[in-house]
Amino acid sequence: MGTESMGLRESKKQETRQLISDHATRLFIEQGFEQTTIAEIATAARVAKKTVTNYFARKEDMALDHHEEFTATLARAVAGRAAGESALAVLRREFAAAVERCDPVAGFAGPEFARMIADSPTLTTRLRELHDRREEALAEALAAAAPGDSPAIAPRAAAALLGAAHRLLFRRIQELTLAGEPNERIAATVAPEATYTFDLLEAGLEAGFGADSEGSADA
């Protein structure tokens, strides 16, 4: 009974968090991020102002409420890759799958959401921070599996290159979204561009961060 009560309580918390995020994002789109107050969000969600700040320490995280998933995606893919699969190979494959399903985490968030971010200096800055955090998490995952004879800077160098590629492709999706292209056409455009981008990285990264000769995964 106690476990069930805890589960219901946690479910209610998640519902409240999502409710606040949904109303906040709607107001941000309608009024602009900087112009929308915490009090307005609380009123729209029918909760106390303190409830809003309890669930969201930062106003921008009400709009970018999947930030934890975003920052973890690359590191999680690398940490969970199959034996013998390189970091580049798994990230290339994962990105292709994200494009195919038009995943919002990859940038397919729709024109209104993309415009909301583009029009807000605060959200634009926060998104850059999230890209940086994602790259840092990737570097940690690469370092955990790096060969012992690799230079100390190798995981960070590889993460910087892979992170830059994902950052570029994310911006490309946003650019096409803001230009009014539908998701299907964006996916058709970005898929070959992603192949080209990852191909540029392949020679350098496979040399130091590929699969080893015995088939076990390194970085």
Side-chain angles (χ1 to χ4, degrees):
M1 187 66 176
T3 302
E4 183 179 352
S5 297
M6 287 176 62
L8 289 172
R9 191 156 51 245
E10 184 60 30
S11 178
K12 179 63 176 175
K13 286 181 179 179
Q14 290 300 321
E15 288 177 5
T16 301
R17 180 183 175 86
Q18 190 62 53
L19 177 70
I20 294 169
S21 175
D22 289 346
H23 280 289
T25 301
R26 175 180 59 80
L27 289 171
F28 296 155
I29 289 172
E30 291 175 357
Q31 303 177 174
F33 177 83
E34 275 76 15
Q35 290 74 30
T36 301
T37 66
I38 299 297
E40 288 174 319
I41 294 167
T43 299
R46 297 185 178 182
V47 298
K49 184 177 176 181
K50 184 172 179 56
T51 301
V52 174
T53 55
N54 282 342
Y55 277 93
F56 295 94
R58 301 178 62 152
K59 179 182 168 185
E60 50 267 48
D61 287 342
M62 285 182 252
L64 303 170
D65 59 328
H66 297 295
H67 60 94
E68 292 179 354
E69 171 69 14
F70 179 83
T71 57
T73 49
L74 305 186
R76 185 169 60 233
V78 166
R81 70 196 188 280
E85 186 173 28
S86 71
L88 176 61
V90 69
L91 292 178
R92 179 197 286 265
R93 175 167 53 78
E94 289 291 321
F95 186 80
V99 169
E100 186 174 353
R101 65 178 179 266
C102 297
D103 192 337
V105 175
F108 292 89
E112 291 183 335
F113 194 88
R115 176 55 58 193
M116 174 190 71
I117 294 176
D119 287 346
S120 169
T122 304
L123 290 177
T124 300
T125 298
R126 178 58 171 159
L127 185 57
R128 283 198 298 268
E129 292 173 356
L130 294 177
H131 278 291
D132 289 343
R133 286 176 56 189
R134 182 163 71 161
E135 182 183 312
E136 291 165 5
L138 176 58
E140 291 176 5
L142 290 170
D149 59 350
S150 61
I153 200 173
R156 284 183 291 160
L161 292 171
L162 290 163
H166 281 82
R167 196 181 302 232
L168 170 66
L169 293 167
F170 185 98
R171 284 203 304 262
R172 179 63 168 145
I173 292 168
Q174 295 284 287
E175 172 189 306
L176 292 169
T177 299
L178 291 171
E181 298 286 354
N183 280 349
E184 295 78 8
R185 191 174 299 171
I186 295 172
T189 299
V190 170
E193 292 180 344
T195 297
Y196 173 81
T197 301
F198 286 118
D199 282 348
L200 289 177
L201 299 178
E202 188 164 6
L205 287 177
E206 289 293 346
F209 283 84
D212 65 26
S213 58
E214 296 180 0
S216 62
D218 59 27

